[in-house]
């Protein structure tokens, strides 16, 4: 055990970040590992199996935190969790957040979200050139779109949802983009995807890092200071 000696010779251990909402985290993907690895790990207490296909792998050349990031730039790359009832997010409040790096193309693609029996139900998505937003409640609300994003840079996008009235709010690098009110439908066989969704664009043009899904908790009610990597407990 290592640390520093403090007043009166007491051993001072380094502080470890703790997530007060850890019990509500239903998925946490740090995207860490060796270059070219196809092993994606869910570090939440659920320890879900994350199945990579279409050439999805880790890259150490672009990363926001840690040792690597998920490479979903080329055609057909995707990672799926498998269907699970506890991924039914819209039966309560939730927060979905990730670090994202966009390449020059394409101009539109769903890059992270939920499917139900292979049908897209909600996502975070690239939109017009230099823009990023969300697909919720069957729509692409303009209030949730951040414009003027430079390609080749990392940014954080977070989406919160309040079940009672469908109030949905988006944040870009901790700053409020806007909000809308759209009730989201319930899902019978929810499955989370990274990269290409079923029937979606072949190429997504993104790297993803630090993906966290928190069920039952609205983490951010107002502007906040982003931190990372996310705690493991």
């Amino acid at each position: 055990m290592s640390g520093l000696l403090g007043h009166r010779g007491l051993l001072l251990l380094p502080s470890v970040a703790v997530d007060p909402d850890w019990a509500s985290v239903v998925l946490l993907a740090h995207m860490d590992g060796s270059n070219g690895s196809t092993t994606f790990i869910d570090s939440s207490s659920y320890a879900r199996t994350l199945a990579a296909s279409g050439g999805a792998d880790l890259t150490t050349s672009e990363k926001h935190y840690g040792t690597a990031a998920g490479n979903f730039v080329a055609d057909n790359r995707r990672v799926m969790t498998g269907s699970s009832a506890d991924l039914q997010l819209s039966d309560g409040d939730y927060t979905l957040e990730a670090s994202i790096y966009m390449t020059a193309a394409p101009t539109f693609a769903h890059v992270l979200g939920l499917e139900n029996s292979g049908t897209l139900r909600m996502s975070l998505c690239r939109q017009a050139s230099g823009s990023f937003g969300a697909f919720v409640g069957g729509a692409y609300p303009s209030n949730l779109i951040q414009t003027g994003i430079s390609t080749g840079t990392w940014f954080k996008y977070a989406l919160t949802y309040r079940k009672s009235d469908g109030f949905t709010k988006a944040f870009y690098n901790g700053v409020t983009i806007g909000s809308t009110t759209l009730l989201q439908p319930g899902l019978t066989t929810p499955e989370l995807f990274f990269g290409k969704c079923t029937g979606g664009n072949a190429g997504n043009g993104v790297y993803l890092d630090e993906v966290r899904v928190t069920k039952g908790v609205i983490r951010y009610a107002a502007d906040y200071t982003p931190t990372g990597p996310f705690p493991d407990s």
Side-chain angles (χ1 to χ4, degrees):
M1 183 179 295
S2 62
L4 298 175
L5 287 178
H7 182 57
R8 295 182 180 177
L10 296 177
L11 184 65
L12 303 178
L13 298 177
S15 61
V16 177
V18 175
D19 181 358
D21 297 310
W22 174 249
S24 299
V25 175
V26 295
L27 183 133
L28 174 60
H30 293 300
M31 307 289 184
D32 286 338
S34 59
N35 194 59
S37 172
T38 57
T39 300
F40 290 78
I41 297 172
D42 173 20
S43 297
S44 77
S45 58
Y46 289 81
R48 302 178 193 279
T49 298
L50 304 181
S53 63
D57 63 2
L58 300 175
T59 178
T60 56
S61 62
E62 293 294 347
K63 54 187 179 292
H64 201 188
Y65 301 102
T67 61
N71 182 356
F72 302 97
V73 174
D75 291 354
N76 299 313
R77 293 181 173 225
R78 68 187 303 187
V79 169
M80 305 292 289
T81 62
S83 62
S84 178
D86 47 48
L87 289 174
Q88 163 59 293
L89 302 182
S90 57
D91 62 358
D93 302 339
Y94 71 78
T95 302
L96 173 61
E97 53 195 320
S99 291
I100 299 153
Y101 178 113
M102 298 193 297
T103 61
T107 56
F108 181 88
H110 301 280
V111 303
L112 165 65
L114 279 174
E115 295 184 358
N116 189 66
S117 299
T119 300
L120 180 68
R121 291 304 187 191
M122 67 83 60
S123 77
L124 307 186
C125 52
R126 296 184 67 145
Q127 300 199 6
S129 180
S131 300
F132 195 90
F135 172 71
V136 291
Y140 300 90
S142 59
N143 311 51
L144 307 181
I145 298 174
Q146 176 66 40
T147 60
I149 303 173
S150 298
T151 56
T153 59
W154 284 100
F155 65 92
K156 286 192 170 232
Y157 188 95
L159 189 75
T160 64
Y161 176 76
R162 187 170 64 207
K163 169 64 175 176
S164 60
D165 56 2
F167 182 75
T168 306
K169 194 170 186 177
F171 300 84
Y172 172 78
N173 287 337
V175 178
T176 302
I177 301 169
S179 61
T180 189
T181 301
L182 283 170
L183 286 170
Q184 297 180 26
L187 309 178
T188 55
T189 55
E191 183 171 15
L192 191 73
F193 71 89
F194 314 146
K196 181 182 180 293
C197 66
T198 302
N201 294 44
N204 295 287
V206 296
Y207 299 102
L208 297 176
D209 207 349
E210 289 300 308
V211 176
R212 183 170 68 179
V213 184
T214 311
K215 181 178 179 180
V217 175
I218 296 175
R219 286 186 178 269
Y220 315 117
D223 294 358
Y224 66 98
T225 301
T227 58
F230 294 132
D232 284 327
S233 62

